[in-house]
């Protein structure tokens, strides 16, 4: 890579944020952190700011402005707080924005970054699920680049790098199946929060870990893929691949298939986005072909994973449905993590919210999307 890239990381204190910063730590001559943000963890943010010395440190929750300012007093790092401060940072031109806030909370900065024509390494899938119908046209208009760092989408993005759209026949995302892949539905009724938080292959933040256990994650990813790769539901699918070695596949009209393989480590897709359009060398653990490598595949059992089924239905519907699905899921996952509902109630909650039907809001603007999202949460 030539020259230093300026970089803003939304959600710097999270799992994706941490993996991103670990790569930046290894490449001090390649990146200049411009801004780091967090939700409430002002101590975690202050620690990162002291290490990486960005120009700005932004805390979303204004209640933590004072302690963050005190922790960074005398460093020259500018401290800001609140939702508008996040949006203002997203508008400041940098070489790369990493969008790694979890949930629809990350939508406003993504939207601003897209409008500003930035290059965005996108982890925040909920932003695309809720607003893909506006984000994709806005990105085309502003010239913003969206570089997916969700591992499956990054895999497909790499497979499609030198291909034209008209040749694509199928796009397939792989799914590990999560911790409950081999359980019966009856067994799944009994699972605890701790069990659901134990993903067999990936180490991730709590919300996506629960989404992986319900397989809502794969459903959200199908919707994400539909927007990113401009493909209808018919060409997109997901398959179970318990080893998480192969991340995404593309089938072409001439019968060829391209697939992306790699270790199950988010630094692989993140490093691709950090280096793009080149590749960033780092000490990635190589795939070991010296002993037998097994790649198993199986269809997703949709009756066992109703969240996946609900998301597939929504993918074929209107954008408002995806906003409802996503908001209801965020609420249900938070309730599950809080011990208020059981694991299998998550799907029931999402289904009931979808079936409650018309919320009287057409999601034809960014503000309308947030209004619909708020409406679902309030109910
Ligand atoms: P996480 O919970 O570990 O981190 C979330 C980050 O967002 C934190 O820095 C937190 O401070 C910030 N945040 C949370 N709520 C916020 C709010 N209301 N306002 C502002 N900031 C807020 O989450 P994660 O696992 O890193 O996931 C981040 C995103 O990346 C999610 O959309 C997830 O689906 C996606 N993703 C994650 C992984 C992974 O390996 N963790 C893989 C693929 C995709
Ligand atoms: Mg993924």
């Amino acid at each position: 890579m030539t020259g230093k890239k300026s970089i803003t990381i939304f959600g710097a204190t999270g799992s994706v944020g941490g993996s991103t910063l670990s790569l930046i730590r290894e490449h001090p001559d390649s990146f200049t952190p411009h801004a780091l943000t967090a939700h409430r963890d002002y101590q975690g943010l202050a620690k990162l700011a002291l290490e990486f010395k960005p120009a700005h440190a932004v805390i979303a929750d204004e209640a933590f402005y004072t302690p963050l300012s005190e922790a960074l007093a005398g460093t020259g790092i500018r401290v800001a707080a609140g939702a508008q401060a996040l949006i203002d940072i997203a508008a400041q031109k940098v070489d790369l924005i990493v969008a790694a806030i979890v949930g629809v909370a990350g939508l406003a900065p993504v939207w601003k970054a897209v409008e500003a024509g930035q290059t965005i390494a996108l982890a925040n899938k909920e932003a695309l699920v809720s607003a893909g119908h506006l984000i994709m046209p806005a990105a085309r208009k502003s010239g913003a680049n969206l570089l997916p760092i969700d591992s499956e989408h990054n895999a497909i993005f790499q497979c499609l790098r030198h291909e034209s759209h008209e040749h694509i026949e199928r796009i397939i995302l792989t799914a590990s199946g999560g911790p409950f892949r081999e359980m019966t539905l009856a067994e799944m009724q009994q699972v605890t929060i701790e069990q659901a938080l134990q993903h067999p292959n990936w180490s991730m933040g709590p919300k996506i870990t629960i989404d992986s256990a319900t397989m809502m994650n794969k459903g959200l990813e199908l919707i994400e893929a539909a927007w990113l790769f401009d493909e209808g539901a018919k060409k997109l699918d997901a398959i179970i691949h318990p080893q998480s070695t192969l991340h995404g596949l593309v089938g072409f009209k001439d019968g060829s298939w391209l697939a992306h393989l790699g270790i199950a480590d988010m630094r692989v897709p993140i490093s691709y986005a950090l280096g793009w359009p080149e590749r960033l060398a780092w000490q990635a653990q190589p795939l070991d072909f010296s002993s037998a490598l097994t790649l198993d595949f199986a269809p997703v059992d949709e009756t066992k994973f109703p969240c996946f089924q609900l998301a597939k239905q929504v993918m074929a519907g209107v954008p408002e449905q995806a906003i409802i699905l996503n908001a209801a899921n965020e609420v249900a996952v938070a309730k599950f993590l809080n011990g208020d509902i059981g694991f299998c109630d998550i799907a029931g909650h999402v289904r009931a919210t979808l079936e409650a039907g018309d919320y009287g809001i057409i999601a034809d603007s960014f503000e309308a999307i947030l209004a619909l999202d708020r409406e679902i949460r309030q109910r």
Side-chain angles (χ1 to χ4, degrees), residues 149-188:
I149 53 180
D150 207 342
S151 55
E152 301 77 4
H153 306 73
N154 185 271
I156 291 157
F157 186 73
Q158 294 197 39
C159 291
L160 289 177
R161 186 152 174 181
H162 303 289
E163 303 295 341
S164 44
H165 192 259
E166 75 222 52
H167 297 144
I168 301 171
E169 182 76 35
R170 305 263 291 144
I171 292 182
I172 296 183
L173 319 181
T174 62
S176 69
F180 308 138
R181 177 173 56 87
E182 294 193 322
M183 274 191 186
T184 63
L185 251 178
E187 286 169 334
M188 267 197 258

Side-chain angles (χ1 to χ4, degrees), residues 12-175:
T13 53
S15 167
V16 170
S19 296
T20 306
L21 286 166
S22 76
L23 288 161
I24 291 177
R25 190 178 283 121
E26 276 190 41
H27 296 84
D29 299 331
S30 302
F31 300 98
T32 311
H34 174 70
L36 302 179
T37 87
H39 186 204
R40 296 191 172 122
D41 179 9
Y42 78 89
Q43 287 167 317
L45 180 59
K47 193 161 171 261
L48 293 173
L50 289 172
E51 179 186 352
F52 290 96
K53 304 199 169 42
H56 303 267
V58 183
I59 191 93
D61 188 332
E62 291 176 30
F64 299 97
Y65 173 76
T66 304
L68 181 65
S69 299
E70 284 167 3
L72 296 179
T75 60
I77 298 168
R78 282 198 237 159
V79 173
Q84 187 57 45
L86 287 183
I87 295 172
D88 294 344
I89 284 292
Q92 292 181 14
K93 197 76 188 161
V94 284
D95 295 315
L96 185 67
I97 288 201
V98 177
I101 290 177
V102 60
V104 104
L107 173 56
V110 166
W111 178 247
K112 181 50 92 179
V114 166
E115 278 191 327
Q118 307 257 29
T119 296
I120 305 159
L122 186 75
N124 182 203
K125 66 190 81 186
E126 297 90 348
L128 262 193
V129 168
S130 303
H133 60 296
L134 300 184
I135 286 177
M136 297 314 290
R140 281 190 285 274
K141 192 169 159 207
S142 70
N145 290 309
L146 289 179
L147 311 175
I149 53 180
D150 207 342
S151 55
E152 301 77 4
H153 306 73
N154 185 271
I156 291 157
F157 186 73
Q158 294 197 39
C159 291
L160 289 177
R161 186 152 174 181
H162 303 289
E163 303 295 341
S164 44
H165 192 259
E166 75 222 52
H167 297 144
I168 301 171
E169 182 76 35
R170 305 263 291 144
I171 292 182
I172 296 183
L173 319 181
T174 62

Side-chain angles (χ1 to χ4, degrees), residues 11 26 64 76 88 116 143 148 192 203 219 226 233 273 284 287 291 302 335 339 342 345:
E26 276 190 41
F64 299 97
D88 294 344
T192 63
S203 156
L287 265 184
S291 53
E302 295 189 15
K335 279 177 186 264
D345 299 330

Side-chain angles (χ1 to χ4, degrees), residues 268-336:
V268 176
I270 294 169
S271 69
Y272 185 80
L274 289 179
W276 185 86
E278 295 171 37
R279 284 189 189 266
L280 188 73
W282 62 284
Q283 297 303 314
Q285 186 193 319
L287 265 184
D288 182 8
F289 293 100
S290 64
S291 53
L293 188 67
T294 311
L295 302 176
D296 295 314
F297 303 100
V300 180
D301 182 343
E302 295 189 15
T303 49
K304 241 171 72 176
F305 295 103
C307 283
F308 176 75
Q309 194 184 36
L310 287 169
K312 270 184 89 168
Q313 278 167 21
V314 159
M315 182 167 63
V318 293
E320 288 77 16
Q321 295 264 298
I323 299 164
I324 298 169
L325 172 99
N326 180 67
N329 182 57
E330 285 192 30
V331 170
V333 170
K335 279 177 186 264
F336 170 69

